[in-house]
Amino acid sequence: MKSTLKVMHDTGLKKTPARIAILDVFHHSSKPLDADTIVDLLEKHDVKTDRVTVYRTLNTLTDFNVLKKVEFGEGKFRYELSSLPHHHHLICTSCGRVEDIAECGMEDVENKLQKRTSFVIKQHNAEFFGLCTKCQ
Amino acid sequence: MKSTLKVMHDTGLKKTPARIAILDVFHHSSKPLDADTIVDLLEKHDVKTDRVTVYRTLNTLTDFNVLKKVEFGEGKFRYELSSLPHHHHLICTSCGRVEDIAECGMEDVENKLQKRTSFVIKQHNAEFFGLCTKCQ
DNA sequence: TTTAATGCAAAACCTTTGCACATCA
DNA sequence: TGATGTGCAAAGGTTTTGCATTAAA
């Protein structure tokens, strides 16, 4: 995985404390984060930053394809590093735990779909919902 | 497909003009609708209803499993009849056109996943993004 | 008549915008 | 220094809540 500083360098974006701190948060997170959580984490790490800066940074990094927006049906966006290998999410509907699913196995599904429809398919999202071990 | 009145009867909810009109809108729509679009359609059909009633109706019908919430990464919810056969959506990233995908072909994916993880998987969502014929 | 639904006003959330000031390269 | 990023205040868009009134069963 690319380091935070490497990412900043590649984008050509200015290396500001806020951006470095926000990217660090993602590099240390195992699941997609929403803006509010990031604000909290920054505060906890004594990084003084405005909420607006967080939103702006999330958008900028998404535009530069450093981050990827995802939605879990919560009415808000979450973000994750787009450098992560292609994967989907398995979400526990009881406790909210999120697990990554590597090898989505959807290549076949997508290929068949490509043949059946007139669309040129560029990407897909998938979320699986269920109960984790603890919540079953 | 169940008729609007049948749906109302099955839920035990009161048959109010607003609810009937809203369900009618869904019975005549080929794609998931957001609250705002519904408000517009009702207005066009001269059904006088408050926006809040639309939101409340959408929530009530979702609670009763008559409607299903879906998200297309727009920062708002859309709803569709949950009586529709299991399907996913193919969304044109250029013009916003939405096509249903019947036979999702994800049973295998889900079954394999079930074996590989400790979750009990209850359902999945999938959205495919690409370009429709016109926009290619 | 009793319970549930509606309308209106107000607010809660999440997110964006404008603008002056600060900071990185 | 010049371009870009930040903070603050304000606003925009979507959705929810409280409460008095109205309508369904």
Side-chain angles (χ1 to χ4, degrees), chain B residues 64-78:
Chain B
F64 278 84
N65 202 34
V66 174
L67 293 179
K68 195 182 151 190
K69 256 179 169 166
V70 300
E71 269 180 315
F72 289 172
E74 306 165 299
K76 67 184 173 188
F77 292 109
R78 287 173 177 263

Side-chain angles (χ1 to χ4, degrees), chain B residues 1-47:
Chain B
M1 181 150 58
K2 285 182 186 173
S3 76
T4 295
L5 288 172
K6 181 92 171 49
V7 168
M8 297 305 306
H9 179 267
D10 291 353
T11 59
L13 292 169
K14 288 185 180 171
K15 270 189 277 290
T16 67
R19 283 177 181 164
I20 292 170
I22 291 170
L23 266 174
D24 268 343
V25 166
F26 280 105
H27 278 113
H28 290 93
S29 169
S30 64
K31 62 175 188 178
L33 304 170
D34 61 286
D36 201 54
T37 303
I38 294 167
V39 170
D40 286 351
L41 288 172
L42 292 180
E43 191 156 347
K44 204 172 291 178
H45 290 43
D46 288 315
V47 179

Side-chain angles (χ1 to χ4, degrees), chain A residues 110-123, chain B residues 88-101 127-136:
Chain A
E110 191 167 308
N111 287 338
K112 281 179 192 162
L113 214 51
Q114 181 79 255
K115 284 174 194 158
R116 266 169 49 203
T117 73
S118 50
F119 276 61
V120 174
I121 302 176
K122 301 285 189 184
Q123 59 156 307
Chain B
H88 298 297
H89 301 284
L90 182 49
I91 302 146
C92 179
T93 51
S94 169
C95 70
R97 190 173 148 205
V98 178
E99 231 171 71
D100 281 2
I101 300 166
E127 304 90 42
F128 297 84
F129 298 90
L131 296 171
C132 72
T133 331
K134 289 178 191 166
C135 297
Q136 278 163 33

